Amino acid sequence: MSPSILKTALLVASATAPVLAASGSGKTTRYWDCCKPSCAWPEKAAVSSPVGMCDAQWNPFNNPDATSGCDGGNAFTCATYSPWAIDDNLAYGFAATAISGGSESSWCCACYRLTFTSGPVAGKSMVVQSTNTGGDLGSNHFDILMPGGGVGLFDGCTPQFGGLPGARYGGISSRNECESFPEQLKEGCYWRFDWFQNADNPDIQFEQVQCPAELLNVSGCKRQDDCSFPPA
């Protein structure tokens, strides 16, 4: 085989090779920091567009170079990134992720099916899309976005609307505290105490899957390799 034919064959094989879906056991935590998601910055991954963001009044806007509200700017997490129940055993939502062997280019806008293996939600599943990463995350770590889960390292909620109650890590401790939240965040806060049963950082088994249309419609971000993974 000539060198040029061999090179062409290798390129075709590389382009058509199946993408290995990330999977394994992992851990979860929770947060809602109001900051611009890290996957909202341009050129983080091979995607249709960076994930969407909102201004301080919850209005969507398209400026991937906008400064995060956590750094004095006007780009924040949209309230629509709150989790929601599909039925008693399945929920959809978003998360900051750190998967062993990967990087932002493989995590941003990828979707994962999480099956909870401990706590009151053991046996339930949640499909999340990665909209963020975090310097304080461990390996195979999913930090699930849920209003009232605590701001963590950064607090964009105080400059956006005066802040949220609760501990910096872990957030609030009762459903009644959701009543003091901005109207746009109340349903996501209730979800934590209803569907999620106030589970405290349950363990998981996870598998990378195709993103459901419902999540893509919220984030506006689809990976170019999304169809390479099994359906959610």
Side-chain angles (χ1 to χ4, degrees):
M1 183 181 292
S2 70
S4 61
I5 294 176
L6 177 60
K7 181 178 180 181
T8 300
L10 290 173
L11 288 172
V12 170
S14 176
T16 58
V19 178
L20 184 63
S23 64
S25 58
K27 61 181 288 188
T28 66
T29 46
R30 58 185 180 269
Y31 85 109
W32 187 277
D33 62 8
C34 299
C35 301
K36 174 184 177 179
S38 64
C39 297
W41 291 96
E43 300 179 2
K44 286 294 186 81
V47 295
S48 58
S49 63
V51 303
M53 70 196 98
C54 287
D55 63 22
Q57 289 74 44
W58 313 103
N59 301 306
F61 75 104
N62 182 21
N63 180 5
D65 293 316
T67 301
S68 172
C70 288
D71 296 316
N74 194 41
F76 297 91
T77 297
C78 297
T80 50
Y81 288 124
S82 295
W84 72 95
I86 300 301
D87 57 38
D88 289 345
N89 294 302
L90 176 65
Y92 285 168
F94 300 87
T97 57
I99 310 299
S100 178
S103 64
E104 276 193 317
S105 65
S106 60
W107 305 331
C108 274
C109 301
C111 285
Y112 305 88
R113 186 179 185 96
L114 314 181
T115 300
F116 298 105
T117 58
S118 66
V121 289
K124 290 188 173 189
S125 295
M126 184 175 188
V127 180
V128 298
Q129 184 177 38
S130 175
T131 54
N132 212 346
T133 58
D136 57 343
L137 300 185
S139 179
N140 292 349
H141 187 165
F142 293 81
D143 202 9
I144 302 172
L145 262 175
M146 58 182 84
V151 296
L153 276 178
F154 304 103
D155 178 11
C157 301
T158 296
Q160 184 181 7
F161 51 78
L164 291 171
R168 189 174 190 94
Y169 289 93
I172 61 174
S173 57
S174 71
R175 193 180 192 277
N176 290 340
E177 292 175 271
C178 299
E179 294 296 330
S180 67
F181 281 36
E183 197 65 35
Q184 295 89 341
L185 299 181
K186 285 183 179 180
E187 287 302 316
C189 184
Y190 295 145
W191 175 91
R192 172 182 164 189
F193 297 94
D194 297 339
W195 190 94
F196 200 59
Q197 300 177 57
N198 199 24
D200 190 21
N201 302 342
D203 295 327
I204 53 164
Q205 290 288 325
F206 70 92
E207 178 187 13
Q208 190 168 356
V209 295
Q210 291 179 29
C211 290
E214 293 91 337
L215 293 177
L216 297 175
N217 289 340
V218 173
S219 71
C221 182
K222 183 177 181 178
R223 292 186 59 87
Q224 291 182 8
D225 61 4
D226 184 68
C227 63
S228 303
F229 303 105

